[in-house]
Structures are given as structure tokens and as C-alpha cells.
Amino acid sequence: MQTKTESKTTLPKEGHFSEWYNEILKRAEILDIRYPVKGVYVWYPYGFKLRNLIYTTLRTFMDKEHEEVLFPMLIPKDELMKEEEHIKGFEEEVFWVTKGGTTELDIPLALRPTSETAIYPVFKVWIRSHRDLPLRVYQIVNTFRYETKHTRPLIRLREITSFKEAHTAHANLADAEEQVKIAIALYRKFFDLLDVPYIITRRPDWDKFPGAAYTLAFDTLMPDGRTMQIGTIHLLGESFARTFDIKYEDNAGSLQYVNQTCYGISERCVAAVISIHGDEHGLVLPPEVSPIQVVIVPIVFSGKAESGEGEVKKACAAVYEDLETAGIRAFLDDSEERPGAKYYRWEMKGVPLRIEIGPRDLRNNSCEFVRRDNFQRVHVPLHDAVPEVKRTLEEVQSSIHGRAKEALVANIHERVGSDAGTVEEMRALKNKAEHGIVSLFLCDSARCGKDLEEHLDASVLGEPLHEAEMRDKSEGKCIICSRKARRVYVARTY
Ligand code: 5CA
Ligand code: ZN
């Protein structure tokens, strides 16, 4: 039913991802990018609703095993500078507050780039004995990073508005490692609910979080063939505990350093949902997090005799009431606009299901369902509307997931050769890395890693963790030096 003017405004996605992304943020009213500070943007009401639904889910998951806290945004310079490796990693990214009014501050204050150095001095006073452990807290806050790479809405921000950071302290390394597993399971569940497929890898040492013993990362594949890091889990070990002197008294009465982890997710998770599922008509939202799950559009042509307008509107209102009662986020669009204009708007906003009811449907006691993910149209008896909506939403949720997962798996390219790579092969692999993830063997020397990154113009993500994504062998010969090597994933990244 789309008119010419409407179809002209579809947005090609394939081959034009960057333009598509920016245009969608505007047209679907997710983010306004016109704020006059680089890397800093404004959430529109609709975008903020989506963000809040996603973060409510995240909160619910977090609350099961953590307690929510809120620490200050300002960090005194001497605390921020305490952990040597940590500050080396962050010092080029810190925003500073140096004045109060016209007075120079005695101690400059940093805007948190992340909160280890705000939280751990307080952990030192909170933790006394083994009974205080494990300590597991999280907060959802804004953080600031002076990013020098190309900034991008929701993806590379100077003000991250929705930084979920968890910080945990444990009696020993084994407990901390157990917490890493809990965090992995939690993030899996979260991204599964968003229908966002991922790979999990252990970052190479040269790319781990500053101050961590090791870093595990969740990466997803974006439509332009680059991967995006959507979450990280760090095993910190005792390094911060030693720096900030966080000790507890064990059973025997002697003092021990705690063992720590931290893990974080930002609004990149929203960026992933938008980027991966959307199409040339706009957003395609997973029902679980869609601000509106069902939109009801009355098909009436006002003013025409026998339009049955009154009955149609009544039937629409009844369906709306039933859906609301059943706990489904529904919207009845009874505005004066033409149906075509309504279709266009709600398709752009990614509403998973549209119900149309016109006079002819009413005569058959039925309505029409139109799915956003595949535009499939079916007639449904009116009295079955609620159970059929529930069933359809579940179907949409899992079919979006299937499609996205397939696209990821299809774009993991396994290297065929097993000897040291030739110049031609490197060139071929570089091509492959432009369209996804290359899987190959690499030893753990940083030199081989850097060498490979140069040849492929891509980054080593690290060794994959997830069994299902593992190909038959996990050991082979290094593509650079032929020594014994582990499987790694390599990709161009955001
Ligand atoms: N303290 C740790 C764990 S909370 C930490 O800061 N880890 S991090 O640096 O890896 O950040 C956590 C996640 O935030 C990253 O995995 C990435 O998905 C996201 N992120 C990092 N920098 C930015 C940025 N500038 N804009 C948007 N998201 C970002
Ligand atoms: Zn090697």
C-alpha cells in the first residue's frame, strides 16, 4: 500500500551502512546529533524509551547477583594516578576539571573515564573481613573519554551516557574466576534477548584493559563487515587491591589482598540492535525491547458513505484494550493521517507487528497482521487476536535472532592453508577481513600479532571462547612463524 513518495524515501543499507545509520538515528528519532560538542549527543524521547527498556532488562539481570550503587563522577588526580598501568592506558583520554569558578583547584578533578579509581578507595574501607566478601556492585552512569579516533553516535562517544560497570571483590583467584564465568553467562543472556549475536574472545595481552590480568570481550559483526566490541569482562587479580590496599581478614585472622573483576557495557548495545536488525524501511526491533510491540491502524476513509468508521474504531479500541490488559505494549494510531503514512512511520520505528482493521475485516470478524521483519500478512479471527499476537511476537523475536546469527556465522572465514602465509595468501585474507572475521592460527608473540595486523589491515580479536564457534581444531601452526599456535579471530573493528 505504499505510495510513490513513500517508497522513494527508503534507505539503502547494503553498501551504504554509515549513511544508513546516521539517517536512521534521525528518522526513527533515536538520537539528535546536532549538539555543539564533539562526540556528545541528545537522546530523543523514542530513543530514550528504547534505551530504557534495554537497560531495565540489564538491571533486572544485574540485580540478581549484584547491588546497585552510585559513586561520584569526580575523581581526585592523586587517586586516578595511583595505578600505574591503568593511568598509562587512560591518560590521553581523561577530561579534567581544573578550576572552581576562577580559582585553580588544589587537586585537579578528573571526570571518570571508568570508575576503578573512584570505587576502590571506598572498597578499602568497606571490606574488613571475609564476611564482607564477595562484594558485588554495579552502577549505570555517564563516563567521559576524550576519544581521538573518529567519534560516532552511540558507538564512539566522548560522553558515554549509559555506562553499566560492575565491580567485584573476592577472597581468592578461584572465586574471581568463577565470577568471570557468571558475568559471561549474564552477558550472553542479555545479548540473546536483544537478538544480537556475538563471539567471545580473550584479547591478546597487548590489547587488554589497562591494569587487568586478562580481558574477555564480546564482539558483534556490523553490516559493513567490521566487528564492534559490545562488552568486556576483566579479571583484575590483585593489581588494584595492592595499589589501593584492599585487604580482608581471613578465617585464620591474617590479612589477604582481595581478588577483583570488573565488566562493562555501554550504549553500543543499542547501536548493535539498531544496526544489525534494521533494513531499508527503518528499524526492526526485537519485541522484547520494542517501546511499542503492536500498533493498531484503523483502515477508514473518513467522509465516505458506508465507511463503517464507527464500528472499525470501536473494534480497534477493543483490541487495544485487550492487548494492554494482557501486558503487551500496544499503540492505537487513530490520528487523522492516511494509513500509508502511518505504516511508514511505524515501520521506520521498528514496531514488530501491525494490526490493520477495516470494514471488510469486520464483516469477517477478523483483522490483518503484518510482521515488520518480513512483511508477511495474515488474517486472524478477532477473538484470537491476543494469543495470536503473543505467538507472533515470539516468532518475530526468534526469527530476527536466527537471521542475525546466520549472518555472523556465515561471515567467519576459516583460513585454508596451514603453512606460513605467502604474500598472495595474505592479500586474499586481507580481502576476507573486509567482509567479516578471519579465523586462523597465531602464536602468542606480540611480534607475530603486529605483523599479521599490518598484513591484514585488521585487528587480532583473540582466541575464541565459545565452543559452538570453535572449528574442529584449536591448535595449529602460526601463520607468521610456523611455531605452535592457537586459533584466533581477526577482523577490522569499530
Ligand atoms: N572498567 C572496565 C569495565 S566496566 C572498562 O572500562 N572497560 S572498557 O573500557 O572495555 O569499557 C567497557 C565497554 O564500554 C567496552 O567494551 C565498549 O563496548 C564500551 N565503550 C568503551 N569506550 C566507549 C566509547 N567511547 N563510546 C561508547 N562505548 C564505549
Ligand atoms: Zn608466530
Side-chain angles (χ1 to χ4, degrees):
M1 275 262 303
Q2 282 208 335
T3 65
K4 270 196 190 121
T5 45
E6 280 149 8
S7 60
K8 246 202 316 204
T9 58
T10 59
L11 295 165
K13 187 181 183 196
E14 213 176 313
H16 307 273
F17 174 66
S18 242
E19 297 87 330
W20 177 91
Y21 182 72
N22 288 326
E23 199 57 32
I24 288 291
L25 290 181
K26 180 164 86 190
R27 289 207 206 172
E29 298 181 317
I30 301 295
L31 216 63
D32 194 325
I33 63 168
R34 291 171 295 185
Y35 196 78
V37 177
K38 186 179 155 68
V40 172
Y41 310 96
V42 179
W43 288 101
Y44 279 112
Y46 188 73
F48 201 55
K49 282 194 185 95
L50 172 63
R51 179 264 185 209
N52 287 346
L53 278 162
I54 292 175
Y55 276 77
T56 299
T57 304
L58 185 55
R59 245 196 192 98
T60 308
F61 289 164
M62 292 301 296
D63 284 341
K64 288 191 183 132
E65 282 138 348
H66 311 70
E67 287 184 295
E68 190 171 1
V69 292
L70 186 55
F71 276 73
M73 182 195 292
L74 297 172
I75 304 176
K77 183 172 181 183
D78 44 340
E79 296 290 1
L80 188 82
M81 295 301 198
K82 257 186 193 158
E83 223 297 324
E84 203 181 329
E85 252 187 70
H86 186 66
I87 194 56
K88 253 196 272 155
F90 275 106
E91 71 187 338
E92 291 303 323
E93 292 186 18
V94 177
F95 278 96
W96 289 103
V97 178
T98 56
K99 281 186 182 176
T102 53
T103 312
E104 289 286 332
L105 298 178
D106 290 343
I107 299 174
L109 300 169
L111 299 184
R112 60 182 163 216
T114 165
S115 303
E116 283 73 9
T117 57
I119 294 177
Y120 300 168
V122 179
F123 270 15
K124 176 188 160 61
V125 295
W126 282 359
I127 297 169
R128 287 275 152 248
S129 93
H130 59 95
R131 283 181 298 273
D132 299 322
L133 301 175
L135 179 60
R136 296 184 285 203
V137 300
Y138 79 96
Q139 59 180 6
I140 299 174
V141 295
N142 53 351
T143 60
F144 298 83
R145 294 185 181 185
Y146 184 74
E147 296 279 1
T148 46
K149 277 213 243 165
H150 184 63
T151 53
R152 224 183 261 273
L154 304 178
I155 294 176
R156 179 158 281 108
L157 304 162
R158 286 190 172 173
E159 180 182 2
I160 308 172
T161 70
S162 312
F163 195 67
K164 190 288 295 167
E165 50 178 325
H167 296 270
T168 73
H170 308 268
N172 53 51
L173 179 62
D175 288 0
E177 289 197 303
E178 195 50 41
Q179 189 62 35
V180 166
K181 287 190 189 137
I182 291 172
I184 294 172
L186 203 152
Y187 281 10
R188 274 182 191 283
K189 216 165 74 174
F190 174 64
F191 288 116
D192 285 347
L193 207 86
L194 304 186
D195 284 343
V196 168
Y198 47 79
I199 51 163
I200 308 171
T201 57
R202 180 172 165 146
R203 285 282 185 265
D205 275 350
W206 68 82
D207 195 26
K208 66 183 187 189
F209 182 69
Y214 65 77
T215 290
L216 302 179
F218 281 62
D219 293 277
T220 194
L221 184 62
M222 296 287 267
D224 61 357
R226 288 175 188 263
T227 59
M228 177 168 73
Q229 178 179 300
I230 47 174
T232 32
I233 301 169
H234 314 290
L235 185 96
L236 301 177
E238 291 184 0
S239 60
F240 284 89
R242 286 175 187 277
T243 305
F244 291 95
D245 193 36
I246 314 172
K247 284 189 250 177
Y248 71 97
E249 200 178 300
D250 67 13
N251 273 326
S254 66
L255 288 177
Q256 309 283 352
Y257 285 114
V258 297
N259 225 285
Q260 292 177 271
T261 79
C262 69
Y263 32 101
I265 280 179
S266 77
E267 55 254 60
R268 281 187 182 187
C269 63
V270 182
V273 169
I274 292 170
S275 308
I276 291 170
H277 308 315
D279 63 18
E280 68 272 23
H281 299 280
L283 300 179
V284 176
L285 294 179
E288 288 278 2
V289 294
S290 189
I292 299 170
Q293 295 171 307
V294 184
V295 63
I296 304 159
V297 180
I299 311 297
V300 286
F301 300 92
S302 304
K304 281 194 187 161
E306 290 174 77
S307 68
E309 195 175 334
E311 285 77 37
V312 166
K313 286 197 165 164
K314 224 160 58 190
C316 286
V319 170
Y320 170 77
E321 291 292 329
D322 289 349
L323 290 174
E324 280 280 282
T325 309
I328 293 158
R329 293 186 292 275
F331 183 76
L332 172 55
D333 189 352
D334 54 5
S335 66
E336 291 301 309
E337 275 173 309
R338 286 170 304 107
K342 295 180 183 178
Y343 299 169
Y344 174 80
R345 159 156 353 97
W346 299 116
E347 281 167 10
M348 183 58 69
K349 295 213 156 148
V351 177
L353 181 62
R354 176 169 82 229
I355 300 181
E356 302 172 11
I357 305 178
R360 202 171 345 134
D361 300 304
L362 269 194
R363 281 197 288 278
N364 299 320
N365 260 317
S366 75
C367 56
E368 271 183 85
F369 279 18
V370 186
R371 273 170 65 160
R372 174 64 183 86
D373 61 322
N374 58 13
F375 292 102
Q376 230 172 50
R377 200 175 256 283
V378 290
H379 291 270
V380 173
L382 270 176
H383 63 266
D384 281 347
V386 172
E388 278 304 297
V389 163
K390 283 191 176 159
R391 204 184 52 76
T392 309
L393 290 180
E394 272 169 32
E395 232 174 79
V396 172
Q397 178 80 27
S398 81
S399 114
I400 293 177
H401 196 270
R403 198 160 68 183
K405 178 87 193 239
E406 245 168 60
L408 173 73
V409 173
N411 284 299
I412 300 179
H413 311 293
E414 172 95 20
R415 182 193 174 207
V416 185
S418 65
D419 296 320
T422 61
V423 177
E424 296 87 75
E425 198 197 355
M426 288 297 184
R427 211 174 291 137
L429 288 174
K430 178 170 184 267
N431 265 329
K432 287 204 169 147
E434 280 175 22
H435 311 280
I437 299 160
V438 176
S439 173
L440 49 74
F441 292 107
L442 184 73
C443 74
D444 47 16
S445 97
R447 253 187 75 189
C448 287
K450 290 290 163 200
D451 220 18
L452 180 68
E453 288 187 337
E454 239 163 69
H455 281 303
L456 267 52
D457 189 21
S459 308
V460 176
L461 300 178
E463 186 182 346
L465 215 79
H466 186 193
E467 320 288 300
E469 253 105 48
M470 295 278 264
R471 301 307 161 104
D472 43 3
K473 284 191 307 174
S474 65
E475 266 187 30
K477 285 194 278 179
C478 176
I479 183 168
I480 304 290
C481 73
S482 292
R483 276 180 307 191
K484 202 170 122 185
R486 311 283 293 169
R487 176 177 304 287
V488 299
Y489 284 165
V490 186
R492 305 202 330 154
T493 62
Y494 265 85

